[in-house]
Amino acid sequence: MESPVKRPLLKSFSNNSFRLRSPSLNSLRLRRIFDLYDANHDSFITVDEISRALMLLGLDANMSDLESMIKSYINPGNAGLTYDDFVNLHRSINDLFFGLEDVQEKGTKEEQEESDLTEAFKVFDEDGDGFISATELQMVLGKLGFTEATEMERVKMMISSVDLNHDGQVDFSEFKDMMRSLQ
């Protein structure tokens, strides 16, 4: 069966760091994304909710292509994508954009995990200084629409919960420990 996902659908999609290759990190990330963009918490993501999510991520999607692609993943009788449908859609997009790379990529599982964690860390370390500050975490949470972003004290508590050396920031080593503990 040919995938209904078409390359022109996402015009601004060029950042390889968008993808995490670690299955457990992907699963956690996908669940959070699904829950975040299920705006009305009905356990379905509609075409409108996906469209809003893509716009927030800075991805320019052709609405008619988006609608036809997503509808092909929605089971008959459902109002939108279930979580499992969303995972299948993500897998199709991943295969389309990155499938060839997976065949060509070399290295051990540990090297790949390290690379994935480095890319994930860069998302939060907006100024590139090698540390995630409470301000940086707050900005990323805000961009993702998390309500925690409005309360700096909660953000500082999040930082302190993984800040092993108590310097008020999360370095890469602390970030790795946190992410590995989630697995």
Side-chain angles (χ1 to χ4, degrees):
M1 178 174 133
E2 187 173 318
S3 173
V5 179
K6 298 175 184 163
R7 279 194 189 271
L9 173 67
L10 299 175
K11 297 172 189 162
S12 300
F13 194 86
S14 61
N15 185 352
N16 194 25
S17 67
F18 180 75
R19 171 180 75 125
L20 293 175
R21 290 169 292 269
S22 170
S24 56
L25 292 176
N26 249 353
S27 177
L28 176 65
R29 181 188 65 169
L30 286 176
R31 184 76 234 186
R32 286 184 177 165
I33 291 170
F34 182 88
D35 292 341
L36 181 65
Y37 293 109
D38 178 16
N40 60 1
H41 307 292
D42 64 353
S43 298
F44 293 105
I45 296 181
T46 64
V47 173
D48 288 338
E49 289 169 328
I50 288 277
S51 176
R52 274 185 259 133
L54 292 173
M55 283 190 293
L56 284 171
L57 291 170
L59 300 172
D60 183 19
N62 177 304
M63 194 59 179
S64 63
D65 286 346
L66 179 66
E67 187 169 356
S68 66
M69 178 190 69
I70 291 174
K71 284 191 176 190
S72 69
Y73 285 87
I74 297 174
N75 288 314
N78 286 348
L81 296 167
T82 63
Y83 176 70
D84 290 336
D85 300 334
F86 183 67
V87 169
N88 290 333
L89 172 63
H90 178 267
R91 191 172 294 125
S92 291
I93 292 171
N94 182 64
D95 291 347
L96 178 68
F97 285 99
F98 303 108
L100 184 59
E101 285 178 18
D102 288 339
V103 173
Q104 295 172 343
E105 286 176 0
K106 294 183 177 159
T108 65
K109 184 178 179 181
E110 292 80 22
E111 289 170 337
Q112 191 58 60
E113 182 179 302
E114 184 82 11
S115 174
D116 290 341
L117 289 171
T118 299
E119 290 300 319
F121 184 80
K122 287 178 184 177
V123 170
F124 292 92
D125 181 19
E126 292 198 334
D127 63 8
D129 67 353
F131 299 95
I132 302 170
S133 67
T135 303
E136 287 171 316
L137 179 58
Q138 184 180 38
M139 287 186 338
V140 172
L141 292 174
K143 287 177 184 176
L144 294 173
F146 285 98
T147 57
E148 290 87 347
T150 62
E151 301 174 41
M152 182 52 94
E153 285 308 309
R154 287 187 74 184
V155 173
K156 286 180 180 178
M157 284 178 21
M158 294 167 106
I159 292 284
S160 68
S161 70
V162 296
D163 180 18
L164 301 176
N165 64 3
H166 308 290
D167 64 354
Q169 305 179 95
V170 177
D171 61 31
F172 183 64
S173 176
E174 293 165 334
F175 181 79
K176 280 194 317 189
D177 290 345
M178 177 201 63
M179 293 304 285
R180 287 181 176 151
S181 73
L182 294 174
Q183 294 178 13

